[in-house]
Amino acid sequence: MDGAKRPAIIRSVQQWAMLALLFIGFPLVRVILAEQFGVQFPPFFFFFPAITFAALIYGLWGGLGTTAASAVVAAWLMSPAAGKLQYPSPSKALALIIFSLIGGFMCVMGDRFRRTRQRVTDLEHEKIERGNKARLAAALESMTDAVFISDATGNFINFNLAFAKFHRFKRIEDCVRSSAEFRNLIEISTLDGEPLPPSMWLTPRALRGESSTNYELSLRRRDTEDKWIGSFNFGPIRDDEGEIIGAVIVARDVTEQKRIDNMVRASETRYRTVFQTSLDAIAINTLRGAVYIDINQAFLEMSGYERDEVIGRTSLELGLWTAPHDREQLLNLLKQGPCRSYQIRFRRKSGELFWGVMSASVIEIDGTPCIVSATRDVSHVKWAEEEIRNLALFDPLTGLANRRFLIEQVKKSAALSVQTHRKCALLLIDLDNFKILNDTLGHPMGDLLLQAVATRLQSCVREADTLGRLGGDEYLALVEDLGGTAEEAAAHALVRAEKILSTLDKPYLLDGHEWVCTCSIGIAIFGDGHENVSEALQQAELALYQAKAAGRNSLRFFEPALQAAVNARAALEESLRQGINADQFVIFYQGQFEQGRLVGAEALLRWNHPALGMLPPANFIPLAEETRSIIPLGNWILESVCRQIALWSKDRRTAHFKVSVNVSVVQLHQHEFVDDVIKILQRTGANPHSLRLELTESMLVSNVEDAIHKMTILKQHGVGFSLDDFGTGYSSLAYLRRLPVDQLKIDRSFVRDMLTDASSGVIAQTIITLSKAMGLPVIAEGVETTEQMAFLEGMGCHCFQGFLFSRPLPLDEFERMLPEFTLDDALFYGELKA
């Protein structure tokens, strides 16, 4: 049985079953009512529902047939003898006639109701159908794609305006109406140009049940020779029973799109050909993350990697950049637009470095910003340029700068020194008796010596200095940034020159021959802007002649005054070393007073020079720091003071003393400084709480974190700290808050001028206020008059150090004055105030 007819048969069976149920069921209800409740109803009364249902479902004749059948059954039921049909009495006959008339009336009314309902349903279906057709027509006309619908024979029954335009019809009336007309008008072929037979056209295929999407065909109109390419979707139209009743075709003109696609493919082919055959390394990577998307063969050959090693990885992962900031610089250039001729060094997979010239720009691929770059290997060009530069600016024998390069550097240094006010020096170096080597062992040996000397000289100068060979056996060292004064620059230049003398004086091994060669050095200081390059070189040559005249293996300065200063400095340095070894240094103590009571002292170093007498620290401490003699000297001072603290702790008059010791910046930044202090305390048995190390603000500027760390460790061991010369340095208050200091010292320069200079008084007041806010004691040094003391007391400072109370004294004199200040402190203080 056809699946489409099955629902109708089932519905018909259901209707007959319902009619039978009504026809039989209601009479049974009459019987039940009569037997159970004694209620008698006319038999025909219960047939009206069946009559009404038959009239509504099957119409007038169905209802009349049911009425007749009901009348027969009712007559049988009204027979006096059960089961026998007899001629009814007049009253029963009348009842049956009335029943039949009512039944007929109900049949007529039911049939009219059924017809009326059917007409209303048909009208509604027609309205819906018209709406559907209107919506379909509107949809078809609004579509940009061409749509046409055919019936089961292949003739067109509907199409839209786009269909006419698709097939180049000028007017809608020109549209063909049948498939035969269409075949006569249009010639269809595949994209390869093969004609398509009519049986394989889309409408016949759809009517055979086939369907497809994006099926492309080439069409040509016979009368105009117009050609275009269409992309078609087609399929069959089926009715409710599944029968094919037509076909629908949707078409889109993709001629222009195909032309663009062909152009893109051609462009892609050209691009790919250029991309792969280019001699430059071409790469595409993402702007963010630098992940490689595509590379060409030249890139692989240049970098040394395989393709699968590059794609999906970044340039940083591959290590192509010799310095990561090179890529950051490239990105900064790309922000301004395309980058051209960017020279940079890259690294191959093997580790070999090479120079490349890169051009790059930012493009967008599938919505992702990318960098496309082309790099050309120019290593051979750079090597050639470097070789030319070396030949022009460097000595081919030693590799040092030649005369031309040296003169240019001296000019630059002279100009820069004028701006920075920092002196420079020229060290002209000449080998002694070099001619003897050439005459005895030959020029090849002379060349070996020149090369060996160049190597040794490079170890004697800083990286920032310039070293070169002027010619023959003459070398020149340009030493910059030596100091603000000529004396200071001469001292630094002397250190370099002496190192050169001692280094070159050692024997040379030249091809199996041992040779000793000394040198003479002439030094010229320049940088005041008055001399030119020629004058500076002439001065160095004159100084060199003086050095050679002095007996060779020596050095001389061009200016006699500088030579004298250098000689004096050298003598003082030698005396300093001897003084440390000969125990010529002594410690003086200057008392520190609080409201007239001696509470401690500051240990001050003096040099008892055998020829110059007692020298203050300013005369030798800078030299000791420069030569690093301050380290053993500082340890000696600290150990001496700690031994004295241990002795004073046993005397009730001095047990409370806190003794301050100045610490040099060289000492503080020594790695062993903290360990040295702790070991000295342990060795001497001194109470750490009685020791106070004095630091200056300027010492903390260079490496404040290191200073805070070391101070914190010593503070945990009980050592105190005093910040000396406070107010003259440049330390930040934020760092001051972190420093574990126990005392601030007002610098003597503020104390000296505060009665005459208002700003000095304001600074002193600020320091006192700051110390109170931070909870730190404050002491003023350099107090020499009672007026100064009174002024400081008025501002809240009650701790003093200065000549008003005591000068720095040797240990024995300091201890002799102890009774005066410890037994009658209040009286002494009252006398001072009076």
Side-chain angles (χ1 to χ4, degrees):
M1 181 183 295
D2 194 345
K5 298 179 179 180
R6 187 180 292 111
I9 295 174
I10 294 174
R11 187 167 55 252
S12 178
V13 170
Q14 291 174 345
Q15 291 173 353
W16 278 104
M18 185 64 183
L19 180 60
L21 180 64
L22 293 174
F23 194 78
I24 298 172
F26 276 93
L28 290 176
V29 172
R30 171 180 175 274
V31 173
I32 293 171
L33 290 175
E35 292 179 355
Q36 297 294 330
F37 302 100
V39 180
Q40 294 289 335
F41 284 96
F44 49 79
F45 182 79
F46 291 92
F47 290 106
F48 286 128
I51 295 171
T52 304
F53 178 78
L56 291 175
I57 298 302
Y58 300 107
L60 177 61
W61 296 108
L64 291 177
T66 304
T67 301
S70 300
V72 172
V73 173
W76 178 71
L77 292 174
M78 289 189 303
S79 298
K84 292 183 179 181
L85 185 60
Q86 297 180 354
Y87 185 80
S89 62
S91 59
K92 293 180 179 179
L94 179 61
L96 288 173
I97 292 171
I98 295 173
F99 167 73
S100 299
L101 292 174
I102 294 173
F105 176 74
M106 292 178 66
C107 291
V108 172
M109 296 303 295
D111 182 63
R112 292 190 61 184
F113 177 79
R114 185 180 67 83
R115 292 176 180 275
T116 302
R117 186 180 64 181
Q118 185 63 40
R119 283 197 300 272
V120 170
T121 301
D122 292 343
L123 290 174
E124 289 178 353
H125 286 170
E126 290 178 3
K127 182 178 180 181
I128 293 172
E129 185 68 20
R130 287 195 301 271
N132 290 337
K133 290 182 178 180
R135 284 190 291 271
L136 176 60
L140 289 176
E141 294 306 321
S142 64
M143 291 178 65
T144 56
D145 293 341
V147 180
F148 55 96
I149 301 172
S150 68
D151 57 17
T153 63
N155 291 324
F156 300 151
I157 59 174
N158 203 353
F159 48 84
N160 62 354
L161 181 61
F163 173 75
K165 293 181 178 179
F166 181 77
H167 294 289
R168 308 298 195 270
F169 298 134
K170 294 182 180 179
R171 293 180 300 128
I172 195 64
E173 292 79 6
D174 294 336
C175 293
V176 294
R177 299 293 177 171
S178 69
S179 57
E181 293 179 274
F182 188 79
R183 284 194 295 270
N184 292 331
L185 180 65
I186 301 296
E187 179 184 286
I188 303 178
S189 61
T190 64
L191 295 184
D192 296 331
E194 293 295 329
L196 200 68
S199 61
M200 293 301 295
W201 284 21
L202 303 186
T203 301
R205 292 175 61 183
L207 293 176
R208 291 197 297 268
E210 297 182 35
S211 62
S212 182
T213 59
N214 298 326
Y215 188 78
E216 294 184 348
L217 293 171
S218 177
L219 290 80
R220 182 179 68 86
R221 182 160 172 162
R222 298 180 187 275
D223 56 348
T224 62
E225 296 296 325
D226 288 343
K227 295 181 180 180
W228 65 95
I229 298 174
S231 177
F232 295 87
N233 297 344
F234 64 91
I237 302 175
R238 300 178 185 272
D239 59 11
D240 294 339
E241 297 179 357
E243 295 289 337
I244 297 177
I245 60 174
V248 59
I249 311 294
V250 180
R252 177 176 296 174
D253 187 353
V254 294
T255 305
E256 184 63 21
Q257 183 62 42
K258 280 293 181 181
R259 186 185 68 82
I260 295 174
D261 290 345
N262 291 335
M263 291 176 61
V264 170
R265 279 194 294 272
S267 176
E268 173 68 18
T269 301
R270 290 192 296 270
Y271 157 75
R272 182 56 57 181
T273 301
V274 173
F275 185 83
Q276 292 298 343
T277 60
S278 174
L279 297 177
D280 294 337
I282 302 177
I284 302 175
N285 51 12
T286 58
L287 179 61
R288 184 177 183 180
V291 177
Y292 282 104
I293 299 175
D294 199 3
I295 52 176
N296 68 346
Q297 183 62 31
F299 182 94
L300 300 177
E301 295 173 356
M302 186 179 297
S303 65
Y305 287 95
E306 297 297 332
R307 183 177 180 84
D308 56 357
E309 294 178 305
V310 178
I311 300 300
R313 300 181 67 188
T314 68
S315 56
L316 296 177
E317 291 175 342
L318 296 174
L320 294 177
W321 305 92
T322 55
H325 67 268
D326 289 338
R327 183 177 185 275
E328 298 300 326
Q329 185 175 354
L330 174 63
L331 294 178
N332 292 333
L333 292 174
L334 288 175
K335 291 179 182 178
Q336 305 171 10
C339 170
R340 298 182 183 276
S341 301
Y342 178 51
Q343 291 193 14
I344 194 169
R345 295 185 76 182
F346 294 98
R347 181 182 290 105
R348 306 186 202 273
K349 181 181 180 181
S350 62
E352 177 189 358
L353 301 182
F354 69 96
W355 279 98
V357 175
M358 174 184 286
S359 297
S361 60
V362 178
I363 62 173
E364 192 169 288
I365 300 177
D366 296 332
T368 302
C370 296
I371 300 176
V372 57
S373 62
T375 306
R376 178 169 298 176
D377 188 349
V378 294
S379 299
H380 60 289
V381 177
K382 296 296 291 186
W383 291 333
E385 292 176 353
E386 189 68 19
E387 185 65 22
I388 294 172
R389 179 177 179 274
N390 289 337
L391 292 174
L393 301 178
F394 294 91
D395 176 45
L397 178 63
T398 62
L400 301 179
N402 62 12
R403 175 182 290 272
R404 176 183 176 185
F405 185 76
L406 285 170
I407 292 175
E408 291 297 325
Q409 288 300 110
V410 174
K411 289 181 180 178
K412 293 178 182 178
S413 299
L416 183 62
S417 64
V418 175
Q419 301 175 4
T420 60
H421 305 289
R422 305 285 290 179
K423 301 294 183 181
C424 303
L426 287 180
L427 278 63
L428 185 58
I429 306 158
D430 184 82
L431 303 183
D432 298 331
N433 301 318
F434 178 72
K435 186 174 183 299
I436 297 176
L437 175 65
N438 278 336
D439 292 342
T440 58
L441 298 180
H443 289 281
M445 285 295 181
D447 290 344
L448 291 178
L449 178 62
L450 293 175
Q451 292 172 341
V453 168
T455 302
R456 292 190 184 185
L457 286 175
Q458 287 175 319
S459 66
C460 298
V461 297
R462 301 171 301 179
E463 187 176 350
D465 300 333
T466 304
L467 179 65
R469 179 183 175 218
L470 290 177
D473 60 343
E474 279 191 342
Y475 299 84
L476 183 69
L478 170 61
V479 186
E480 303 179 77
D481 193 20
L482 294 180
T485 64
E487 291 78 9
E488 186 179 358
H492 289 293
L494 176 63
V495 175
R496 304 287 194 287
E498 288 180 339
K499 185 176 182 180
I500 292 173
L501 286 175
S502 62
T503 302
L504 298 189
D505 191 26
K506 296 178 176 62
Y508 298 86
L509 187 62
L510 307 175
D511 195 19
H513 297 274
E514 185 175 291
W515 188 265
V516 177
C517 181
T518 60
C519 71
S520 301
I521 303 176
I523 306 174
I525 305 298
F526 70 97
D528 57 7
H530 298 297
E531 66 280 284
N532 55 37
V533 175
S534 299
E535 291 176 350
L537 287 173
Q538 289 175 2
Q539 292 173 2
E541 288 179 358
L542 292 174
L544 177 63
Y545 296 151
Q546 295 175 7
K548 284 185 172 294
R552 305 180 186 277
N553 195 24
S554 61
L555 61 91
R556 287 293 183 272
F557 283 86
F558 169 73
E559 296 182 14
L562 284 180
Q563 186 68 53
V566 167
N567 292 339
R569 177 187 174 89
L572 183 61
E573 184 178 344
E574 179 62 25
S575 297
L576 180 62
R577 285 194 291 267
Q578 294 176 359
I580 295 175
N581 296 331
D583 199 17
Q584 296 175 356
F585 292 90
V586 294
I587 299 175
F588 281 34
Y589 293 90
Q590 185 176 28
Q592 295 178 339
F593 297 82
E594 184 174 359
Q595 295 183 345
R597 180 170 178 263
L598 184 61
V599 295
E602 179 180 359
L604 301 170
L605 185 65
R606 298 291 186 268
W607 183 7
N608 189 10
H609 196 280
L612 302 177
M614 195 68 72
L615 299 179
N619 288 17
F620 60 87
I621 290 296
L623 180 61
E625 289 182 332
E626 185 176 332
T627 59
R628 301 186 71 82
S629 300
I630 192 65
I631 297 175
L633 187 58
N635 289 338
W636 175 83
I637 299 169
L638 188 60
E639 184 155 355
S640 300
V641 170
C642 286
R643 292 189 187 281
Q644 190 59 48
I645 290 174
L647 292 175
W648 278 344
S649 65
K650 300 174 183 179
D651 190 337
R652 64 177 182 82
R653 299 174 303 170
T654 56
H656 64 283
F657 275 10
K658 291 187 181 296
V659 183
S660 300
V661 180
N662 289 283
V663 175
S664 166
V665 64
V666 179
Q667 288 179 271
L668 180 64
H669 292 308
Q670 278 290 107
H671 180 70
E672 305 84 0
F673 175 71
V674 173
D675 292 337
D676 289 345
V677 174
I678 295 174
K679 290 177 181 178
I680 290 173
L681 287 169
Q682 293 172 349
R683 188 164 54 245
T684 59
N687 183 1
H689 295 280
S690 298
L691 177 64
R692 182 172 287 166
L693 302 180
E694 287 198 3
L695 309 175
T696 61
E697 284 187 272
S698 58
M699 292 171 56
L700 305 175
V701 174
S702 59
N703 193 347
V704 68
E705 296 297 337
D706 178 65
I708 292 174
H709 175 68
K710 293 177 178 176
M711 292 170 66
T712 303
I713 296 175
L714 291 176
K715 183 76 173 177
Q716 293 171 354
H717 285 78
V719 179
F721 290 91
S722 177
L723 196 56
D724 196 8
D725 300 338
F726 187 71
T728 63
Y730 306 95
S731 62
S732 167
L733 291 179
Y735 285 126
L736 178 62
R737 177 176 55 83
R738 296 174 54 201
L739 290 172
V741 296
D742 302 274
Q743 185 186 60
L744 298 181
K745 294 189 77 172
I746 303 175
D747 186 64
R748 64 179 64 252
S749 61
F750 300 131
V751 175
R752 181 187 65 239
D753 301 331
M754 64 185 180
L755 297 179
T756 58
D757 183 13
S759 61
S760 296
V762 172
I763 293 174
Q765 178 64 71
T766 302
I767 294 173
I768 295 171
T769 303
L770 178 63
S771 66
K772 289 181 179 179
M774 298 182 66
L776 296 176
V778 64
I779 181 172
E781 62 178 352
V783 180
E784 299 181 357
T785 66
T786 55
E787 290 81 5
Q788 292 173 342
M789 182 184 70
F791 190 81
L792 289 166
E793 282 189 325
M795 291 188 291
C797 177
H798 303 288
C799 193
F800 311 101
Q801 176 183 341
F803 289 175
L804 177 63
F805 301 89
S806 170
R807 291 179 177 274
L809 300 172
L811 177 62
D812 54 348
E813 293 184 28
F814 182 78
E815 289 184 333
R816 280 200 297 270
M817 80 168 191
L818 288 179
E820 178 181 356
F821 292 102
T822 55
L823 298 179
D824 199 6
D825 290 335
L827 177 61
F828 170 78
Y829 186 60
E831 291 176 356
L832 285 177
K833 295 190 69 174

